[in-house]
Amino acid sequence: MLYRGMNRAELDAAYNNTAAVPERDAIVAGWAERSARTRRERPGHLDLRYGDSPRERLDLFLAADPKAPTLAFIHGGYWQMNDKEVTSFLAEGVLPHGINFALIEYTLAPAARLDRIVAEVARSIGWLAEHLGDYGADPARIYISGHSAGGHLTATTMTLPAVRGSIAISGLFDLEPIRLNYLNVKLGLDEDEARRNSPILHFPPMAGPLVTAYGTRELPELCRQSIDYAQAWAERGLPGHLLPVDGADHFTILEALADPKGVLTSALLDLVRTQ
């Protein structure tokens, strides 16, 4: 047995979200269509450079009154797929509440190792803290969210002083099973790098609140990752809570943030009100 009683084939299947959700391609195509419409209808500051490499860029969509908090969102794709544009539609859940929305892109594996990806995301948050004021936004109220690999990257930002609070959605917090399964073909994680970048092994002494969210119809390993991380976070006296999203799978869970009345949008509003 390779990991938690699973052989390699079973471990591969335990993290294969695409195979687990037959509607995945149609869902993502819908995201792309909705995101294109958002980008047509809502003016934004696009492809702002936060670093020197081609994918170190972000988009910023401002609320009607930009002197407001900002949610920075980190896309998923197991650190090796996707780009920021496909999740632009999430702005539709955030902007109506007077919250600015930023979308962060980063270099993908295998062009970048995970150490570099984590560093790029940290650099993007530093850029926002330094430059949001240039766009009339409040640099002292930055919140982070991300989905899947972006949930992992969200957790890695909790040590940054600029981060007021976060929502990690369907994240990966223990990278040991990732190192042992099919995803590591492109990631190339060794044992040290996996440990170094596993949030469940590295908790800040203090942090803003972290909401750890997952869909109740996700693969059991994805559910376990969030449940274990939220429990370990709470055991260290850090603020935050676990948020199961009833009936959501690994992809439909984002509807709870795209909807201005969704449960993840409500969780964000609670963070903003209390911070």
Side-chain angles (χ1 to χ4, degrees):
M1 296 296 102
L2 188 61
Y3 181 80
R4 298 178 69 90
M6 290 178 276
N7 61 29
R8 172 60 187 266
E10 291 167 334
L11 185 58
D12 285 355
Y15 282 86
N16 192 334
N17 293 301
T18 297
V21 182
E23 303 84 8
R24 181 264 182 197
D25 288 350
I27 292 170
V28 174
W31 293 353
E33 181 179 341
R34 293 158 66 188
S35 292
R37 183 167 60 249
T38 294
R39 297 169 82 82
R40 287 194 305 269
E41 296 176 354
R42 292 191 180 272
H45 301 276
L46 307 181
D47 293 327
L48 301 173
R49 311 295 311 184
Y50 69 83
D52 295 332
S53 59
R55 287 180 62 96
E56 287 184 83
R57 56 189 187 139
L58 59 85
D59 297 338
L60 178 61
F61 296 89
L62 296 173
D65 180 2
K67 189 65 175 177
T70 297
L71 177 68
F73 186 84
I74 310 166
H75 71 79
Y78 276 143
W79 310 274
Q80 54 196 273
M81 297 179 288
N82 297 331
D83 54 38
K84 58 182 170 58
E85 283 79 8
V86 75
T87 48
S88 300
F89 75 101
L90 296 174
E92 302 300 334
V94 174
L95 294 176
H97 292 287
I99 298 173
N100 304 315
F101 187 63
L103 283 162
I104 295 169
E105 193 155 271
Y106 50 90
T107 307
L108 301 175
R113 296 191 66 90
L114 193 54
D115 284 336
R116 174 180 163 186
I117 293 171
V118 169
E120 286 184 1
V121 169
R123 186 155 50 247
S124 74
I125 305 307
W127 190 96
L128 286 170
E130 183 176 353
H131 292 285
L132 276 174
D134 300 342
Y135 299 90
D138 186 350
R141 290 189 291 169
I142 297 174
Y143 298 84
I144 314 297
S145 185
H147 172 241
S148 195
H152 161 266
L153 294 167
T154 295
T156 69
T157 72
M158 295 304 293
T159 60
L160 302 177
V163 176
R164 295 288 295 271
S166 295
I167 305 175
I169 305 167
S170 306
L172 294 309
F173 308 103
D174 177 3
L175 300 186
E176 180 64 4
I178 307 302
R179 184 180 73 84
L180 296 172
N181 73 17
Y182 75 104
L183 295 165
N184 207 35
V185 172
K186 289 187 176 180
L187 289 170
L189 292 170
D190 58 30
E191 189 171 355
D192 287 343
E193 190 175 21
R195 290 183 60 83
R196 192 162 56 243
N197 292 292
S198 288
I200 202 162
L201 301 178
H202 306 283
F203 290 92
M206 56 188 304
L210 172 64
V211 178
T212 307
Y214 71 97
T216 59
R217 291 180 54 215
E218 298 211 46
L219 287 165
E221 268 292 286
L222 272 293
C223 297
R224 181 193 64 79
Q225 286 257 3
S226 288
I227 292 167
D228 286 358
Y229 186 64
Q231 180 179 346
W233 181 270
E235 286 172 350
R236 286 156 178 81
L238 295 166
H241 64 275
L242 182 68
L243 178 56
V245 179
D246 189 42
D249 62 37
H250 190 71
F251 301 100
T252 59
I253 192 170
L254 286 186
E255 296 302 328
L257 186 60
D259 182 351
K261 297 181 180 179
V263 294
L264 293 180
T265 311
S266 295
L268 172 63
L269 295 177
D270 288 343
L271 286 179
V272 170
R273 292 188 193 106
T274 59
Q275 291 297 299

